[in-house]
Amino acid sequence: MIPADSKVLLLTGSAGRDERVYPDADSFDIRRTFRLHVAFGYGVHFCLGAALARMEGKIALEETLKRYKSWVVDNEHAVLLHTSTVRGYQQLPIHV
Ligand code: HEM
């Protein structure tokens, strides 16, 4: 029995590491195929800005790769961002 005053914390990021769905769930696989992912939510509250965000991301990556043909990530100075919803970097320096 779950107590009535229990709180639920939704960790969207953990859905992408669901070992019941993905064979090697904890590994980053850029070629992984998705039947469904929840990066933009799901159902009636699906992100209203998803199309804009995808377009902006595509343009940013295309323009960056066009301008800088080769670059190296400075892993030593990378700083992870710790929030309950975002799994990413607060700082990710690169050398061009
Ligand atoms: C990479 C960028 C983005 C990500 C990962 C993202 C992710 C999400 C997620 C997961 C939700 C669902 C939250 C929930 O179920 O409670 C959401 C909702 C929402 N997003 Fe985004 N979002 C992004 C960009 C944007 C942009 C650019 C806009 C607007 C220009 C936007 C507007 C909204 C709005 C208005 C909702 C609420 C929809 C509702 O509750 O019906 N988002 N977003």
XYZ file of all heavy atoms in Angstrom:
806
model
N 0.848 -1.205 0.000
C 0.000 0.000 0.000
C 0.882 1.253 0.000
O 1.782 1.387 0.815
C -0.883 -0.038 1.260
C -1.749 1.169 1.424
S -3.355 0.850 0.664
C -4.219 2.315 1.097
N 0.619 2.175 -0.938
C 1.410 3.412 -1.029
C 0.734 4.470 -0.160
O -0.459 4.740 -0.314
C 1.491 3.890 -2.499
C 2.162 2.805 -3.356
C 2.249 5.207 -2.602
C 2.100 3.054 -4.844
N 1.491 5.083 0.780
C 0.885 6.108 1.655
C 0.311 7.273 0.839
O 0.869 7.648 -0.196
C 2.062 6.582 2.513
C 3.130 5.566 2.346
C 2.899 4.867 1.046
N -0.787 7.862 1.280
C -1.485 8.918 0.553
C -0.630 10.162 0.353
O -0.804 10.897 -0.624
C -2.772 9.283 1.278
N 0.314 10.420 1.279
C 1.123 11.634 1.142
C 2.427 11.379 0.371
O 3.347 12.187 0.411
C 1.417 12.244 2.512
C 2.215 11.301 3.399
O 2.349 10.103 3.035
O 2.709 11.764 4.446
N 2.489 10.261 -0.362
C 3.684 9.958 -1.153
C 3.838 10.945 -2.306
O 2.857 11.462 -2.818
C 3.584 8.559 -1.756
O 3.541 7.615 -0.749
N 5.081 11.175 -2.687
C 5.347 12.062 -3.828
C 5.870 11.195 -4.984
O 6.494 10.172 -4.777
C 6.439 13.079 -3.467
C 6.167 13.866 -2.201
C 5.358 15.101 -2.491
C 5.209 16.034 -1.324
N 4.506 15.524 -0.150
N 5.585 11.631 -6.197
C 6.082 10.915 -7.372
C 7.067 11.824 -8.101
O 6.756 12.983 -8.369
C 4.925 10.542 -8.335
C 5.478 9.938 -9.627
C 3.968 9.572 -7.663
N 8.242 11.320 -8.356
C 9.234 12.088 -9.110
C 9.439 11.405 -10.455
O 9.863 10.253 -10.515
C 10.559 12.165 -8.337
C 11.716 12.848 -9.075
C 11.395 14.317 -9.328
C 13.001 12.726 -8.268
N 9.082 12.115 -11.521
C 9.213 11.555 -12.861
C 10.598 11.845 -13.410
O 11.004 12.999 -13.491
C 8.152 12.185 -13.773
C 8.112 11.682 -15.212
C 7.613 10.251 -15.265
C 7.222 12.580 -16.046
N 11.343 10.796 -13.758
C 12.671 10.974 -14.329
C 12.630 10.601 -15.808
O 12.823 9.443 -16.181
C 13.694 10.116 -13.586
C 13.968 10.536 -12.140
C 14.864 9.530 -11.443
C 14.596 11.918 -12.092
N 12.354 11.579 -16.639
C 12.225 11.339 -18.082
C 13.488 10.682 -18.642
O 13.413 9.774 -19.460
C 11.977 12.669 -18.819
O 10.946 13.366 -18.141
C 11.554 12.432 -20.251
N 14.645 11.156 -18.171
C 15.909 10.639 -18.685
C 16.051 9.139 -18.509
O 16.671 8.456 -19.336
N 15.489 8.582 -17.467
C 15.652 7.147 -17.215
C 14.860 6.298 -18.206
O 15.153 5.118 -18.393
C 15.285 6.792 -15.777
O 13.926 7.037 -15.559
N 13.867 6.891 -18.879
C 13.086 6.138 -19.870
C 13.972 5.685 -21.029
O 13.769 4.619 -21.605
C 11.925 6.975 -20.393
N 14.975 6.505 -21.345
C 15.896 6.164 -22.427
C 16.884 5.073 -22.032
O 17.640 4.582 -22.851
N 16.880 4.704 -20.748
C 17.781 3.657 -20.251
C 16.994 2.459 -19.733
O 17.441 1.747 -18.837
C 18.650 4.211 -19.126
C 19.588 5.282 -19.611
C 20.256 5.943 -18.442
N 21.148 6.992 -18.926
C 22.439 7.045 -18.643
N 22.986 6.126 -17.899
N 23.174 8.017 -19.101
N 15.813 2.281 -20.312
C 14.948 1.189 -19.867
C 15.409 -0.130 -20.496
O 15.238 -0.357 -21.696
C 13.505 1.510 -20.279
C 12.503 0.518 -19.699
O 12.912 -0.578 -19.261
O 11.303 0.856 -19.697
N 15.964 -0.987 -19.666
C 16.538 -2.250 -20.184
C 15.465 -3.219 -20.698
O 15.769 -4.163 -21.405
C 17.442 -2.923 -19.132
C 16.755 -3.427 -17.889
C 16.413 -2.317 -16.886
O 16.858 -1.155 -17.063
O 15.689 -2.629 -15.930
N 14.192 -2.930 -20.396
C 13.119 -3.775 -20.945
C 12.844 -3.414 -22.400
O 12.235 -4.164 -23.147
C 11.826 -3.590 -20.133
C 11.944 -4.090 -18.699
C 10.780 -3.612 -17.878
N 10.704 -2.145 -17.929
C 9.780 -1.426 -17.316
N 8.825 -2.017 -16.633
N 9.783 -0.114 -17.393
N 13.309 -2.217 -22.811
C 13.061 -1.738 -24.174
C 14.315 -1.807 -25.043
O 14.246 -2.194 -26.205
C 12.530 -0.281 -24.144
C 12.236 0.228 -25.549
C 11.281 -0.175 -23.264
N 15.469 -1.441 -24.436
C 16.712 -1.375 -25.216
C 17.705 -2.430 -24.734
O 17.950 -2.548 -23.534
C 17.348 0.010 -25.089
C 16.381 1.111 -25.435
C 15.872 1.944 -24.449
C 15.955 1.291 -26.748
C 14.957 2.942 -24.766
C 15.047 2.282 -27.067
C 14.557 3.101 -26.070
O 13.655 4.086 -26.379
N 18.294 -3.195 -25.673
C 19.214 -4.266 -25.315
C 20.420 -3.797 -24.494
O 20.759 -4.394 -23.495
C 19.668 -4.845 -26.656
C 18.904 -4.158 -27.714
C 18.086 -3.072 -27.104
N 21.039 -2.685 -24.904
C 22.214 -2.208 -24.186
C 21.877 -0.814 -23.658
O 22.469 0.188 -24.045
C 23.406 -2.176 -25.174
C 24.721 -2.022 -24.440
O 24.734 -2.108 -23.189
O 25.730 -1.787 -25.118
N 20.900 -0.794 -22.747
C 20.222 0.436 -22.353
C 21.127 1.553 -21.835
O 20.841 2.722 -22.057
C 19.165 0.108 -21.319
N 22.203 1.204 -21.153
C 23.038 2.226 -20.527
C 24.086 2.825 -21.459
O 24.760 3.777 -21.091
C 23.724 1.644 -19.285
C 23.237 2.337 -18.026
O 22.408 3.260 -18.149
O 23.694 1.955 -16.936
N 24.207 2.262 -22.663
C 25.226 2.766 -23.583
C 24.649 3.825 -24.512
O 23.507 3.711 -24.958
C 25.767 1.633 -24.463
O 26.378 0.681 -23.658
N 25.467 4.838 -24.802
C 25.058 5.839 -25.779
C 25.266 5.243 -27.168
O 26.373 4.845 -27.518
C 25.886 7.115 -25.627
C 25.623 8.112 -26.724
C 24.400 8.757 -26.810
C 26.588 8.382 -27.680
C 24.140 9.667 -27.823
C 26.337 9.299 -28.703
C 25.111 9.935 -28.766
N 24.187 5.130 -27.935
C 24.275 4.555 -29.273
C 23.577 5.526 -30.223
O 22.343 5.577 -30.288
C 23.580 3.187 -29.299
C 23.540 2.591 -30.697
O 24.132 3.188 -31.628
O 22.900 1.541 -30.859
N 24.377 6.272 -30.961
C 23.808 7.318 -31.817
C 22.930 6.733 -32.929
O 22.094 7.413 -33.511
C 24.936 8.224 -32.380
C 24.376 9.577 -32.779
C 25.694 7.534 -33.511
C 25.414 10.645 -32.968
N 23.101 5.413 -33.213
C 22.305 4.763 -34.268
C 21.091 4.013 -33.707
O 20.378 3.336 -34.432
C 23.187 3.799 -35.063
C 24.242 4.539 -35.847
C 24.903 3.661 -36.898
N 25.711 4.488 -37.778
C 26.925 4.947 -37.485
N 27.469 4.636 -36.321
N 27.591 5.689 -38.322
N 20.848 4.163 -32.431
C 19.704 3.472 -31.816
C 18.404 3.925 -32.496
O 18.222 5.104 -32.779
C 19.645 3.826 -30.332
C 18.523 3.121 -29.611
C 18.388 3.636 -28.204
N 19.367 3.049 -27.310
C 19.430 3.349 -26.009
N 18.621 4.233 -25.489
N 20.317 2.761 -25.254
N 17.526 2.984 -32.765
C 16.245 3.362 -33.369
C 15.163 3.383 -32.280
O 15.215 2.605 -31.328
C 15.825 2.370 -34.484
O 15.888 1.049 -33.957
C 16.730 2.483 -35.689
N 14.229 4.288 -32.436
C 13.178 4.446 -31.432
C 11.814 4.165 -32.027
O 11.498 4.655 -33.104
C 13.152 5.897 -30.928
C 14.372 6.301 -30.173
C 15.435 6.899 -30.825
C 14.459 6.069 -28.818
C 16.559 7.279 -30.130
C 15.582 6.440 -28.112
C 16.636 7.043 -28.767
N 11.034 3.377 -31.330
C 9.638 3.233 -31.705
C 8.890 4.427 -31.090
O 7.990 4.988 -31.662
C 9.085 1.907 -31.172
C 7.704 1.533 -31.703
C 7.247 0.190 -31.129
N 7.310 0.135 -29.679
C 6.425 0.671 -28.851
N 5.380 1.306 -29.330
N 6.570 0.581 -27.548
N 9.373 4.793 -29.905
C 8.792 5.916 -29.170
C 9.842 6.434 -28.194
O 10.496 5.636 -27.540
C 7.575 5.418 -28.375
C 6.968 6.368 -27.359
C 6.115 7.418 -28.057
C 6.121 5.599 -26.360
N 10.048 7.735 -28.137
C 10.887 8.282 -27.066
C 10.127 9.416 -26.404
O 9.149 9.926 -26.960
C 12.272 8.704 -27.565
C 12.268 9.945 -28.407
N 12.044 11.202 -27.871
C 12.458 10.126 -29.721
C 12.114 12.094 -28.832
N 12.339 11.466 -29.969
N 10.542 9.794 -25.209
C 9.755 10.765 -24.445
C 10.519 12.065 -24.177
O 10.205 12.783 -23.245
C 9.256 10.148 -23.112
C 8.188 9.111 -23.381
C 10.396 9.569 -22.301
N 11.513 12.351 -25.029
C 12.298 13.582 -24.836
C 11.404 14.820 -24.877
O 11.673 15.816 -24.198
C 13.385 13.679 -25.903
N 10.330 14.764 -25.649
C 9.407 15.903 -25.733
C 8.091 15.591 -25.025
O 7.073 16.228 -25.279
C 9.140 16.266 -27.198
C 10.331 16.881 -27.894
C 11.046 16.164 -28.833
C 10.732 18.174 -27.603
C 12.143 16.723 -29.471
C 11.835 18.751 -28.225
C 12.544 18.020 -29.165
N 8.119 14.634 -24.141
C 6.905 14.282 -23.413
C 6.047 13.314 -24.215
O 6.494 12.709 -25.194
N 4.798 13.192 -23.792
C 3.905 12.213 -24.415
C 2.454 12.608 -24.159
O 2.123 13.171 -23.112
C 4.192 10.822 -23.813
C 3.345 9.721 -24.382
C 3.617 9.216 -25.654
C 2.275 9.195 -23.667
C 2.831 8.207 -26.196
C 1.495 8.178 -24.204
C 1.780 7.695 -25.467
O 1.010 6.697 -26.006
N 1.576 12.329 -25.116
C 0.138 12.522 -24.892
C -0.296 13.978 -24.955
O 0.293 14.775 -25.681
N -1.308 14.336 -24.179
C -1.921 15.661 -24.301
C -0.951 16.803 -23.974
O -1.137 17.919 -24.446
C -3.193 15.831 -23.433
C -4.339 15.012 -23.982
C -2.921 15.497 -21.980
N 0.064 16.533 -23.171
C 1.021 17.585 -22.828
C 2.309 17.491 -23.625
O 3.333 18.051 -23.237
C 1.294 17.587 -21.320
C 0.105 18.043 -20.542
N -0.306 19.362 -20.534
C -0.794 17.358 -19.800
C -1.393 19.469 -19.799
N -1.714 18.267 -19.349
N 2.248 16.793 -24.763
C 3.425 16.707 -25.640
C 3.905 18.129 -25.950
O 3.099 19.042 -26.171
C 3.057 15.970 -26.941
C 4.233 15.790 -27.861
C 5.165 14.793 -27.602
C 4.421 16.606 -28.956
C 6.269 14.621 -28.436
C 5.516 16.451 -29.797
C 6.440 15.448 -29.524
N 5.225 18.299 -25.949
C 5.848 19.622 -26.115
C 5.311 20.388 -27.332
O 5.403 19.930 -28.467
C 7.355 19.442 -26.254
S 8.228 20.986 -26.572
N 4.810 21.596 -27.059
C 4.285 22.427 -28.150
C 5.399 22.955 -29.048
O 5.161 23.312 -30.195
C 3.514 23.622 -27.569
C 2.101 23.357 -27.075
C 1.492 24.640 -26.524
C 1.235 22.829 -28.207
N 6.614 23.006 -28.510
C 7.722 23.572 -29.283
C 8.605 22.520 -29.929
O 9.689 22.855 -30.421
N 8.150 21.263 -29.957
C 8.999 20.171 -30.462
C 9.497 20.415 -31.892
O 10.693 20.258 -32.160
C 8.252 18.833 -30.379
N 8.609 20.838 -32.777
C 9.024 21.050 -34.174
C 10.044 22.180 -34.269
O 11.039 22.081 -34.993
C 7.803 21.339 -35.045
N 9.813 23.261 -33.502
C 10.750 24.389 -33.500
C 12.104 23.953 -32.931
O 13.155 24.254 -33.505
C 10.178 25.543 -32.674
C 11.094 26.752 -32.483
C 11.400 27.424 -33.815
C 10.467 27.750 -31.513
N 12.066 23.238 -31.815
C 13.303 22.792 -31.171
C 14.102 21.876 -32.105
O 15.327 21.987 -32.202
C 12.982 22.066 -29.870
N 13.401 20.968 -32.814
C 14.092 20.066 -33.754
C 14.731 20.871 -34.892
O 15.859 20.599 -35.291
C 13.104 19.048 -34.329
C 12.776 17.950 -33.339
C 11.885 16.901 -33.982
N 11.825 15.724 -33.154
C 10.697 15.172 -32.725
N 9.536 15.702 -33.060
N 10.728 14.089 -31.985
N 13.988 21.840 -35.411
C 14.506 22.644 -36.516
C 15.716 23.461 -36.060
O 16.737 23.513 -36.744
C 13.417 23.568 -37.056
C 13.808 24.262 -38.341
S 12.516 25.338 -38.954
C 12.552 26.651 -37.768
N 15.619 24.080 -34.878
C 16.735 24.873 -34.356
C 17.969 23.998 -34.140
O 19.083 24.399 -34.466
C 16.346 25.547 -33.034
C 15.393 26.709 -33.221
C 14.951 27.319 -31.894
O 15.084 26.645 -30.838
O 14.483 28.456 -31.912
N 17.751 22.815 -33.588
C 18.861 21.894 -33.345
C 19.543 21.491 -34.641
O 20.778 21.451 -34.738
N 18.718 21.200 -35.664
C 19.240 20.779 -36.967
C 20.081 21.913 -37.576
O 21.209 21.687 -38.021
C 18.062 20.430 -37.884
C 18.432 19.853 -39.227
C 17.165 19.358 -39.936
C 17.471 18.695 -41.258
N 17.844 19.623 -42.315
N 19.542 23.126 -37.558
C 20.265 24.270 -38.136
C 21.569 24.520 -37.372
O 22.629 24.705 -37.970
C 19.374 25.539 -38.131
C 18.222 25.368 -39.114
C 20.198 26.782 -38.481
C 17.145 26.431 -39.027
N 21.497 24.495 -36.040
C 22.695 24.757 -35.221
C 23.790 23.732 -35.516
O 24.955 24.093 -35.713
C 22.326 24.740 -33.741
N 23.414 22.462 -35.603
C 24.416 21.417 -35.875
C 24.971 21.549 -37.284
O 26.189 21.489 -37.492
C 23.809 20.023 -35.679
C 23.689 19.561 -34.233
C 22.926 18.253 -34.159
C 25.066 19.402 -33.596
N 24.075 21.761 -38.260
C 24.532 21.889 -39.653
C 25.499 23.060 -39.828
O 26.548 22.923 -40.455
C 23.329 22.078 -40.591
C 22.623 20.779 -40.899
C 21.314 20.991 -41.665
O 20.941 22.160 -41.924
O 20.670 19.993 -41.981
N 25.152 24.210 -39.247
C 25.990 25.405 -39.402
C 27.320 25.255 -38.662
O 28.355 25.686 -39.142
C 25.236 26.652 -38.916
C 24.055 27.010 -39.792
C 24.429 27.222 -41.261
O 25.426 27.910 -41.532
O 23.719 26.691 -42.146
N 27.279 24.626 -37.475
C 28.520 24.428 -36.712
C 29.457 23.494 -37.466
O 30.660 23.762 -37.600
C 28.200 23.837 -35.307
O 27.281 24.714 -34.658
C 29.458 23.724 -34.457
N 28.910 22.388 -37.985
C 29.746 21.419 -38.706
C 30.271 21.990 -40.024
O 31.350 21.627 -40.482
C 28.970 20.114 -38.951
C 28.635 19.334 -37.676
C 27.730 18.149 -37.985
C 29.897 18.862 -36.978
N 29.488 22.897 -40.618
C 29.926 23.538 -41.861
C 31.132 24.449 -41.569
O 32.094 24.500 -42.308
C 28.761 24.392 -42.403
C 28.688 24.415 -43.930
C 27.648 25.400 -44.401
C 26.218 24.908 -44.267
N 25.252 25.966 -44.621
N 31.044 25.177 -40.450
C 32.087 26.148 -40.121
C 33.340 25.477 -39.569
O 34.453 25.859 -39.888
C 31.547 27.136 -39.092
C 32.536 28.232 -38.771
C 31.952 29.285 -37.897
N 30.818 29.955 -38.515
C 30.231 31.044 -38.031
N 30.677 31.571 -36.929
N 29.206 31.592 -38.635
N 33.163 24.489 -38.698
C 34.318 23.832 -38.065
C 34.374 22.383 -38.535
O 33.621 21.539 -38.044
C 34.202 23.900 -36.547
C 34.040 25.308 -36.031
C 32.830 25.723 -35.491
C 35.088 26.225 -36.107
C 32.664 27.024 -35.032
C 34.928 27.522 -35.657
C 33.718 27.916 -35.124
O 33.545 29.204 -34.668
N 35.270 22.115 -39.468
C 35.353 20.771 -40.062
C 35.897 19.745 -39.063
O 35.544 18.580 -39.100
C 36.255 20.782 -41.300
C 35.765 21.696 -42.400
C 34.577 21.109 -43.124
C 34.084 22.059 -44.206
N 32.677 21.965 -44.485
N 36.776 20.189 -38.200
C 37.288 19.247 -37.196
C 37.400 19.948 -35.846
O 37.683 21.150 -35.783
C 38.646 18.685 -37.635
O 39.620 19.680 -37.529
N 37.126 19.220 -34.820
C 37.175 19.766 -33.467
C 37.327 18.627 -32.467
O 37.042 17.460 -32.787
C 35.939 20.607 -33.159
C 34.659 20.024 -33.686
C 34.122 20.252 -34.928
C 33.788 19.111 -33.027
N 32.957 19.540 -35.062
C 32.729 18.830 -33.911
C 33.789 18.510 -31.772
C 31.692 17.968 -33.586
C 32.753 17.644 -31.445
C 31.724 17.398 -32.346
N 37.807 18.991 -31.292
C 38.057 17.981 -30.252
C 37.379 18.438 -28.960
O 37.510 19.592 -28.564
C 39.584 17.833 -29.996
C 39.856 16.819 -28.897
C 40.294 17.447 -31.279
N 36.653 17.528 -28.330
C 35.986 17.846 -27.063
C 37.021 17.799 -25.935
O 37.802 16.852 -25.837
C 34.848 16.831 -26.772
C 34.250 17.082 -25.390
C 33.776 16.926 -27.852
N 37.014 18.838 -25.111
C 37.925 18.918 -23.967
C 37.242 18.240 -22.764
O 36.686 18.900 -21.893
C 38.216 20.403 -23.685
C 39.161 20.589 -22.514
O 39.572 19.589 -21.904
O 39.467 21.753 -22.223
N 37.291 16.905 -22.776
C 36.580 16.136 -21.739
C 37.022 16.482 -20.311
O 36.229 16.418 -19.378
C 36.769 14.635 -21.969
C 35.919 14.148 -23.116
O 34.714 14.376 -23.145
N 36.540 13.505 -24.089
N 38.278 16.856 -20.174
C 38.819 17.156 -18.846
C 38.106 18.339 -18.192
O 37.973 18.395 -16.971
C 40.305 17.477 -18.981
C 41.156 16.794 -17.939
C 42.624 16.973 -18.261
O 43.181 18.007 -17.863
O 43.175 16.077 -18.940
N 37.663 19.278 -19.035
C 37.007 20.465 -18.491
C 35.488 20.464 -18.697
O 34.825 21.492 -18.516
C 37.638 21.733 -19.088
C 39.072 21.888 -18.687
N 40.115 21.552 -19.512
C 39.621 22.281 -17.519
C 41.257 21.758 -18.875
N 40.986 22.199 -17.663
N 34.941 19.317 -19.083
C 33.489 19.207 -19.243
C 32.841 19.159 -17.855
O 33.360 18.522 -16.943
C 33.151 17.936 -20.014
N 31.736 19.874 -17.702
C 31.038 19.902 -16.411
C 29.602 19.439 -16.631
O 28.864 20.045 -17.399
C 31.041 21.330 -15.800
C 30.320 21.342 -14.457
C 32.460 21.861 -15.661
N 29.225 18.361 -15.956
C 27.862 17.836 -16.099
C 26.853 18.737 -15.393
O 27.159 19.345 -14.377
C 27.771 16.431 -15.503
C 28.160 15.279 -16.420
C 28.194 13.967 -15.634
C 27.194 15.153 -17.589
N 25.656 18.784 -15.952
C 24.568 19.544 -15.343
C 23.733 18.555 -14.533
O 23.344 17.508 -15.051
C 23.719 20.173 -16.463
C 22.541 21.025 -16.068
C 23.029 22.318 -15.407
C 21.715 21.373 -17.296
N 23.493 18.870 -13.276
C 22.726 17.944 -12.445
C 21.345 18.510 -12.138
O 21.195 19.362 -11.270
C 23.466 17.656 -11.137
C 24.715 16.877 -11.349
N 24.699 15.530 -11.647
C 26.003 17.248 -11.349
C 25.931 15.114 -11.807
N 26.753 16.127 -11.636
N 20.348 18.076 -12.898
C 18.973 18.444 -12.569
C 18.142 17.160 -12.667
O 18.616 16.144 -13.168
C 18.383 19.492 -13.539
O 18.040 18.855 -14.773
C 19.353 20.626 -13.817
N 16.900 17.220 -12.223
C 16.075 16.007 -12.253
C 15.563 15.716 -13.661
O 15.146 14.603 -13.964
C 14.894 16.142 -11.290
O 14.107 17.242 -11.679
N 15.581 16.709 -14.556
C 15.008 16.499 -15.884
C 16.029 16.523 -17.019
O 15.792 15.942 -18.064
C 13.957 17.587 -16.191
O 14.549 18.849 -15.930
C 12.708 17.413 -15.353
N 17.126 17.223 -16.824
C 18.088 17.368 -17.925
C 19.344 16.545 -17.673
O 19.947 16.624 -16.611
C 18.490 18.855 -18.123
C 19.536 19.002 -19.229
C 17.263 19.696 -18.438
N 19.699 15.712 -18.653
C 20.965 14.994 -18.594
C 21.845 15.604 -19.678
O 21.706 15.275 -20.848
C 20.759 13.490 -18.880
C 20.050 12.762 -17.796
C 20.945 12.623 -16.568
N 20.270 11.907 -15.504
C 19.478 12.492 -14.604
N 19.250 13.780 -14.664
N 18.919 11.786 -13.659
N 22.688 16.505 -19.292
C 23.526 17.155 -20.288
C 24.687 17.846 -19.614
O 25.054 17.504 -18.487
N 25.261 18.803 -20.321
C 26.430 19.498 -19.805
C 26.126 20.948 -19.503
O 25.405 21.613 -20.228
C 27.575 19.422 -20.827
C 28.132 18.037 -20.947
C 27.662 17.163 -21.915
C 29.117 17.602 -20.063
C 28.164 15.875 -22.019
C 29.632 16.313 -20.161
C 29.143 15.455 -21.136
O 29.639 14.198 -21.227
N 26.718 21.414 -18.414
C 26.654 22.822 -18.067
C 27.743 23.545 -18.859
O 27.590 24.674 -19.264
C 26.911 22.953 -16.568
C 26.803 24.342 -16.031
C 27.071 24.345 -14.546
O 26.795 23.375 -13.844
N 27.627 25.430 -14.058
N 28.814 22.810 -19.094
C 29.965 23.358 -19.807
C 30.626 22.231 -20.592
O 30.932 21.181 -20.024
C 30.926 23.876 -18.737
C 32.105 24.628 -19.244
C 32.946 25.111 -18.070
O 32.482 25.911 -17.261
N 34.153 24.592 -17.970
N 30.789 22.427 -21.907
C 31.436 21.405 -22.735
C 32.375 22.099 -23.739
O 31.998 22.353 -24.886
C 30.391 20.550 -23.457
C 30.931 19.341 -24.227
C 31.573 18.329 -23.295
C 29.814 18.677 -25.019
N 33.575 22.436 -23.262
C 34.487 23.159 -24.161
C 35.001 22.290 -25.308
O 35.196 21.081 -25.123
C 35.650 23.573 -23.244
C 35.456 22.880 -21.960
C 34.151 22.162 -21.958
N 35.187 22.920 -26.458
C 35.775 22.213 -27.595
C 36.931 23.050 -28.153
O 36.945 24.253 -28.012
C 34.749 21.930 -28.723
C 34.122 23.224 -29.236
C 33.687 20.951 -28.290
C 33.297 23.047 -30.496
N 37.887 22.364 -28.754
C 38.993 23.060 -29.408
C 38.818 22.911 -30.916
O 38.626 21.797 -31.400
C 40.334 22.453 -28.965
C 40.592 22.614 -27.501
N 40.836 23.832 -26.926
C 40.583 21.709 -26.486
C 40.991 23.679 -25.619
N 40.842 22.387 -25.329
N 38.855 24.036 -31.621
C 38.675 23.983 -33.090
C 39.990 24.291 -33.797
O 40.893 24.859 -33.210
C 37.582 24.948 -33.568
C 36.235 24.500 -33.045
C 37.880 26.378 -33.148
C 15.142 20.599 -26.943
C 14.161 21.438 -26.557
C 12.935 21.018 -25.797
C 12.701 19.919 -25.045
C 13.639 18.718 -24.761
C 11.351 20.026 -24.521
C 10.728 19.075 -23.713
C 9.429 19.172 -23.262
C 8.755 18.156 -22.480
C 9.375 16.844 -21.997
C 7.497 18.583 -22.249
C 6.383 17.830 -21.481
C 6.348 18.248 -20.056
C 5.290 17.479 -19.282
O 4.773 16.448 -19.747
O 4.966 17.920 -18.191
C 7.361 19.894 -22.867
C 6.230 20.648 -22.831
C 6.119 21.906 -23.393
N 7.043 22.545 -24.172
Fe 8.902 21.846 -24.617
N 10.798 21.207 -24.969
C 11.726 21.840 -25.750
C 11.564 23.041 -26.420
C 10.431 23.811 -26.392
C 10.261 25.065 -27.125
C 11.329 25.677 -28.071
C 9.031 25.543 -26.813
C 8.326 26.775 -27.258
C 8.757 27.583 -28.218
C 8.409 24.580 -25.906
C 7.171 24.707 -25.351
C 6.543 23.763 -24.563
C 5.218 23.927 -23.994
C 4.293 25.152 -24.159
C 4.937 22.759 -23.266
C 3.672 22.429 -22.474
C 2.707 21.647 -23.314
C 1.479 21.240 -22.484
O 1.588 21.096 -21.269
O 0.430 21.027 -23.099
N 9.300 23.552 -25.672
N 8.549 20.224 -23.499
